[in-house]
């Protein structure tokens, strides 16, 4: 993974993805200075996702899409847009949960934890990981509301809705796994990147 992370960009897509990573770093500092420690922590979590895509060597289009969705989600939180415009919560959960599930599957494949699977089995695994990520997300929201900031919105309908939309995002990601794993920049120790027929 380190070799993949350190490799210089080869094309415009990779340069754009790296520029978005830099924007994420600047955003984190800006949010921390102007909005406080909690937002700095949120952008710290975003930074993990921004860096992970480079470590995993995913195709540039997926790298860019992940970076954009992470930054939009974080800034929407920082600016209170989930409260002002609640409808944006749905596409964020759909896209971000799907991307997280897909990247988790790629990570497990790179680490040889997850064997090459036929497409239908891979869809099921991606959905399961997506639901698990969604549950952890909702637990994090609850803990944030309970122990850090009571203004973090939690509620039964919101939680169930978020889990359903996130699960749909993971299903779409599972269906798209052949595209997601194509055009890989991976330079790890695994013998091959799985191909799906």
């Amino acid at each position: 993974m380190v070799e993949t992370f350190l490799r210089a960009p080869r094309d415009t897509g990779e340069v754009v993805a790296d520029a978005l990573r830099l924007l994420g770093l600047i955003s984190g500092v800006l949010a921390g200075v102007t909005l406080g420690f909690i937002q700095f922590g949120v952008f710290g979590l975003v930074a993990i996702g921004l860096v992970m895509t480079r470590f995993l060597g995913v195709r540039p289009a997926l790298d860019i899409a992940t970076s954009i969705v992470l930054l939009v989600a974080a800034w929407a939180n920082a600016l209170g847009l989930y409260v002002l415009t609640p409808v944006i919560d749905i596409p964020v959960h759909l896209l971000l949960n799907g991307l997280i599930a897909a990247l988790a599957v790629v990570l497990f494949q790179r680490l040889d934890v997850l064997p090459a699977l036929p497409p239908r089995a891979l869809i099921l695994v991606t959905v399961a990981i997506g639901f698990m990520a969604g549950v952890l997300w909702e637990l994090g929201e609850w803990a944030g509301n309970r122990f850090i900031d009571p203004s973090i919105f939690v509620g039964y309908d919101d939680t169930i809705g978020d889990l359903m939309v996130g699960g749909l995002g993971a299903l779409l990601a599972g269906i798209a796994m052949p595209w997601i794993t194509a055009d890989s920049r991976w330079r790890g120790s695994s013998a091959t990147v799985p191909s799906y027929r």
Side-chain angles (χ1 to χ4, degrees):
M1 285 189 189
V2 174
E3 182 182 347
T4 302
F5 180 78
L6 295 176
R7 187 179 56 72
R10 293 181 305 189
D11 57 35
T12 304
E14 294 180 9
V15 171
V16 170
D18 283 345
L20 288 168
R21 272 181 270 282
L22 179 59
L23 179 60
L25 176 64
I26 294 168
S27 293
V29 173
L30 181 62
V33 169
T34 61
L35 300 172
F37 177 75
I38 292 174
Q39 294 306 323
F40 183 74
V42 169
F43 278 92
L45 291 173
V46 167
I48 294 171
L50 294 174
V51 171
M52 184 58 66
T53 51
R54 197 175 215 292
F55 269 108
L56 293 175
V58 297
R59 65 186 307 159
L62 179 63
D63 197 349
I64 291 168
T66 302
S67 297
I68 290 171
V69 172
L70 282 168
L71 289 170
V72 167
W75 275 113
N77 177 66
L79 299 174
L81 297 182
Y82 294 119
V83 175
L84 295 173
T85 317
V87 71
I88 67 169
D89 191 43
I90 294 171
V92 166
H93 273 280
L94 177 79
L95 296 171
L96 195 51
N97 214 81
L99 289 166
I100 288 171
L103 293 173
V105 168
V106 172
L107 173 63
F108 294 151
Q109 289 174 335
R110 301 288 198 259
L111 296 175
D112 293 323
V113 173
L114 186 65
L117 297 170
R120 289 180 197 165
L122 191 61
I123 290 171
L124 290 175
V125 169
T126 307
V127 170
I129 291 172
F131 271 118
M132 182 183 69
V135 168
L136 293 174
W137 185 327
E138 295 304 318
L139 285 172
E141 283 188 353
W142 173 84
N145 171 275
R146 180 72 174 82
F147 301 111
I148 299 173
D149 184 356
S151 69
I152 296 172
F153 180 75
V154 293
Y156 183 78
D157 289 341
D158 176 68
T159 297
I160 296 301
D162 289 350
L163 288 173
M164 288 177 61
V165 171
L168 176 60
L171 174 62
L172 296 174
I175 293 168
M177 284 308 291
W179 177 85
I180 287 170
T181 57
D183 192 25
S184 173
R185 298 173 287 159
W186 175 246
R187 297 291 181 265
S189 59
S190 295
T192 61
V193 175
S195 62
Y196 305 99
R197 295 180 179 84

